[in-house]
Amino acid sequence: MMKRLINAFLILFLLSCSSDAINWTTPNSLDDDFMNQINKHRASVDLPELEFNPIFFEQAKRFAAQIADNPHMREQLTREEEQNGNYSKAIIAQTGANSVSGCTGFSAAINLDPTTGVVEAMIRNSCKNVIESRNANTIGGAVFQNSNTGDYFYVTFIGRI
């Protein structure tokens, strides 16, 4: 009897585990494409490629998730990060980075290719100094989609380790 109860519990537990769990440390294909687009832009302006760092990525993914959960507060959350640097401070504390800068971007759900053109738009709107940093050697860039609107939110942290 006890064995059946344990087996039933185990089956229910395994069935309830979601395959949609967020992986905070490993980029998905949109994250990879976003970081590749940044490196392509850097190559086009004769800057070296940035090396992926999982700590930079984790903080970018967490910030992108926060923005996607509060899309009406995107500008405010971005300003707060610029002023307080909570995510940047976490990166520095965990990696010993000498410098960390970040920026955010947005793509509407109607865009069927959510990473094409986003880096160029980010550069035009305020991210040029971050993406084209000459001293940077490290990147973490993430994309998070709002489940209600389908809009995409982008965050990149770039720095030097």
Side-chain angles (χ1 to χ4, degrees):
M1 176 69 171
M2 185 64 142
K3 185 176 180 181
R4 285 186 183 174
L5 184 61
I6 291 172
N7 284 339
F9 178 76
L10 183 60
I11 289 170
L12 287 174
F13 175 76
L14 292 174
L15 289 175
S16 68
C17 290
S18 172
S19 62
D20 295 334
I22 298 167
N23 189 330
W24 298 108
T25 57
T26 304
N28 62 35
S29 60
L30 279 177
D31 301 322
D32 281 335
D33 192 40
F34 176 49
M35 289 183 281
N36 288 337
Q37 294 294 329
I38 290 172
N39 274 325
K40 284 179 187 174
H41 172 78
R42 287 179 60 85
S44 75
V45 292
D46 295 324
L47 291 170
E49 183 174 304
L50 300 169
E51 184 178 320
F52 171 79
N53 181 285
I55 303 297
F56 278 62
F57 170 75
E58 178 182 356
Q59 295 305 316
K61 193 71 166 184
R62 290 184 184 281
F63 190 27
Q66 181 187 21
I67 293 171
D69 286 346
N70 303 284
H72 57 285
M73 297 177 59
R74 180 171 64 102
E75 289 84 8
Q76 178 184 342
L77 291 169
T78 300
R79 274 192 305 276
E80 286 175 7
E81 175 60 22
E82 289 171 354
Q83 292 170 354
N84 304 328
N86 295 325
Y87 292 99
S88 299
K89 287 176 185 173
I91 291 169
I92 291 168
Q94 294 178 52
T95 65
N98 296 326
S99 66
V100 176
S101 298
C103 63
T104 63
F106 167 82
S107 178
I110 60 170
N111 186 351
L112 298 178
D113 186 3
T115 58
T116 299
V118 168
V119 171
E120 288 79 15
M122 290 173 73
I123 289 167
R124 283 192 308 273
N125 290 326
S126 68
C127 294
K128 183 175 177 78
N129 290 338
V130 173
I131 292 173
E132 293 183 2
S133 172
R134 297 200 175 279
N135 295 323
N137 64 1
T138 308
I139 188 172
V143 182
F144 212 92
Q145 187 176 26
N146 178 288
S147 60
N148 294 324
T149 64
D151 295 337
Y152 295 90
F153 297 88
Y154 302 79
V155 173
T156 186
F157 285 110
I158 294 174
R160 180 155 195 85
I161 295 182

